[in-house]
């Protein structure tokens, strides 16, 4: 695929985009320093941007949607006072200093994205956006954890709608839930914008990405002139996700300084095992030293070779009707 070759070219020399884009920007964390910085960078680049994010942090919610459940008024303030108690279940943010481009939803990440696509984008542009961006997440989404990621699920839903879509994730150190001004957020935003600009220039007014794929992009902890590398989700995991009988005594609980009751729950731990030679191109290994760019298929679509193999196994069954 030509896309794979152009992405590894030097992205450091890309200038302002030749084509202004209509962009819906969402995430799974709510109003954060990262999403605000990316919005400001995209606007400075000349793009028209709608921000539509969950009212509260929704990490780990994946592609969850609350069907046919009316979104009543807020019973608590949104993260960083994006909206206040009593405000509608979805609408413009009311925090001082934000533009009219910022919206919240009392729901899951995908619900927030859909509000941006089905309500705000139609009102503003009368059509779908040119691009869906999700993130930058406060924490990398690499390996099998992408299945639970609302950040990645937003990109998946965008691509399922036929819209080019990219999920961005950065270090958990970029979290800043007070001033919305973490210094690394601007660095991440500049790098994310560089990729958008590069794709827009290569597209020349056409689609930024091929139909049927989305990108999962993970930034390393160190943002000092990182290289760009192609990667794949693969079999190597940065984290091990485990159900335990007692969260109160779990090592991750203690490492994070949390005080939890003695009760069962799900925890995670860092993978101390080094990747094998065959896993060297896995994003969970690549992101530690470079910006990992992974190409994702959308939804649960099959790979043609494996599908044909299963069809051969089931031939007698399929022919029995």
């Amino acid at each position: 695929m030509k896309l794979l070759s152009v992405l590894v070219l030097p992205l450091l020399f890309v200038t302002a985009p030749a084509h202004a884009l209509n962009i819906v920007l969402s995430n799974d964390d709510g109003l954060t320093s990262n999403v605000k910085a990316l919005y400001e960078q995209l606007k400075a680049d000349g793009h028209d941007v709608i921000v539509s994010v969950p009212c509260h942090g929704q990490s780990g919610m994946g592609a969850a949607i609350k069907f046919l459940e009316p979104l009543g008024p807020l019973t608590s303030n949104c993260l960083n006072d994006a909206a206040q108690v009593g405000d509608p279940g979805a609408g413009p943010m009311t925090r001082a200093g934000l533009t009219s481009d910022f919206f919240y939803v009392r729901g899951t990440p995908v619900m927030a994205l859909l509000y941006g696509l089905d309500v705000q984008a139609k009102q503003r542009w009368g059509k779908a956006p040119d691009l869906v961006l999700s993130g930058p997440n406060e924490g990398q989404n690499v390996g099998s954890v992408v299945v639970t990621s609302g950040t990645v699920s937003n990109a998946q839903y965008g691509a399922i709608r036929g819209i080019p879509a990219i999920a961005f994730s950065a270090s958990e150190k970029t979290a800043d839930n007070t001033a919305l001004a973490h210094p690394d957020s601007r660095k991440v935003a500049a790098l994310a914008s560089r990729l958008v600009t590069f794709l827009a220039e290569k597209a020349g007014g056409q689609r930024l990405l091929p139909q049927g794929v989305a990108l999962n992009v993970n930034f390393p902890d160190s943002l000092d002139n990182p290289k760009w590398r192609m990667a794949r989700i693969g079999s190597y995991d940065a984290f091990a996700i485990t159900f335990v009988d007692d969260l109160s005594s779990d090592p991750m609980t203690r490492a994070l300084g949390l005080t939890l009751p003695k009760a069962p729950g799900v925890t995670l731990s860092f993978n101390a095992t080094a990747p094998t030679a065959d896993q060297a191109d896995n994003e969970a290994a690549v992101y530690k030293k470079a910006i990992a760019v992974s190409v994702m298929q959308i939804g649960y679509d099959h790979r043609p070779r494996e599908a044909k193999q299963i069809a051969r196994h089931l031939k007698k069954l399929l022919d029995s009707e």
Side-chain angles (χ1 to χ4, degrees):
M1 185 185 297
K2 186 177 180 182
L3 168 68
L4 300 183
S5 62
V6 302
L7 279 175
V8 296
L9 294 177
L11 292 171
L12 296 175
F13 305 102
V14 179
T15 57
H19 302 278
L21 303 171
N22 294 334
I23 300 174
V24 169
L25 172 60
S26 191
N27 70 6
D28 70 359
D29 293 316
L31 177 61
T32 63
S33 176
N34 282 350
V35 78
K36 183 173 180 287
L38 182 52
Y39 164 80
E40 291 171 347
Q41 180 67 61
L42 293 169
K43 290 291 289 185
D45 290 342
H47 304 301
D48 195 8
V49 186
I50 291 171
V51 177
S52 184
V53 299
C55 174
H56 298 101
Q58 297 282 309
S59 293
M61 290 298 290
I65 296 177
K66 299 176 182 178
F67 290 100
L68 301 176
E69 181 176 315
L71 303 182
L74 302 182
T75 56
S76 63
N77 290 1
C78 292
L79 178 67
N80 288 319
D81 294 326
Q84 309 296 313
V85 172
D87 286 343
M93 293 187 188
T94 56
R95 173 173 166 143
L98 299 178
T99 74
S100 59
D101 294 333
F102 283 77
F103 301 88
Y104 70 90
V105 173
R106 184 187 180 186
T108 66
V110 170
M111 292 169 70
L113 172 66
L114 294 179
Y115 177 72
L117 296 177
D118 296 337
V119 178
Q120 296 303 327
K122 287 185 178 180
Q123 290 180 7
R124 180 176 300 189
W125 304 311
K127 60 180 182 180
D130 302 306
L131 179 65
V132 163
L133 298 179
S134 184
N137 192 61
E138 296 174 338
Q140 290 94 350
N141 283 298
V142 291
S144 61
V145 75
V146 300
V147 177
T148 68
S149 168
T151 302
V152 175
S153 292
N154 280 346
Q156 286 277 334
Y157 259 80
I160 288 171
R161 289 283 188 98
I163 307 167
I166 306 172
F168 291 116
S169 298
S171 169
E172 70 277 2
K173 297 176 183 178
T174 59
D176 180 356
N177 293 329
T178 303
L180 303 180
H182 194 289
D184 280 352
S185 293
R186 290 197 174 277
K187 295 179 182 180
V188 170
L191 292 167
S193 169
R194 189 174 298 161
L195 175 59
V196 172
T197 298
F198 190 85
L199 290 173
E201 289 188 345
K202 296 298 292 187
Q206 303 302 310
R207 286 183 58 89
L208 269 68
L209 294 169
Q211 283 277 5
V213 302
L215 298 184
N216 187 35
V217 178
N218 284 275
F219 298 102
D221 290 351
S222 175
L223 299 171
D224 295 330
N225 298 317
K227 302 295 185 182
W228 296 78
R229 295 287 182 265
M230 292 305 304
R232 62 189 182 93
I233 294 173
S235 59
Y236 182 68
D237 277 325
F239 311 100
I241 301 173
T242 312
F243 196 104
V244 296
D245 289 329
D246 181 11
L247 279 174
S248 66
S249 61
D250 181 72
M252 183 59 74
T253 299
R254 294 196 298 269
L256 294 175
L258 300 177
T259 302
L260 298 178
K262 186 174 182 179
V266 176
T267 185
L268 72 164
S269 59
F270 293 104
N271 186 356
T273 304
T276 65
D278 291 339
Q279 296 171 324
D281 64 346
N282 284 201
E283 61 184 359
V286 173
Y287 92 92
K288 295 181 179 180
K289 295 183 179 180
I291 303 171
V293 181
S294 303
V295 181
M296 302 184 292
Q297 66 183 17
I298 61 173
Y300 296 99
D301 192 19
H302 58 76
R303 290 177 290 187
R305 185 180 68 179
E306 285 76 6
K308 290 179 180 179
Q309 180 181 2
I310 297 300
R312 287 195 297 270
H313 287 325
L314 299 180
K315 187 176 186 306
K316 289 185 178 180
L317 176 65
L318 298 172
D319 292 343
S320 64
E321 295 294 331

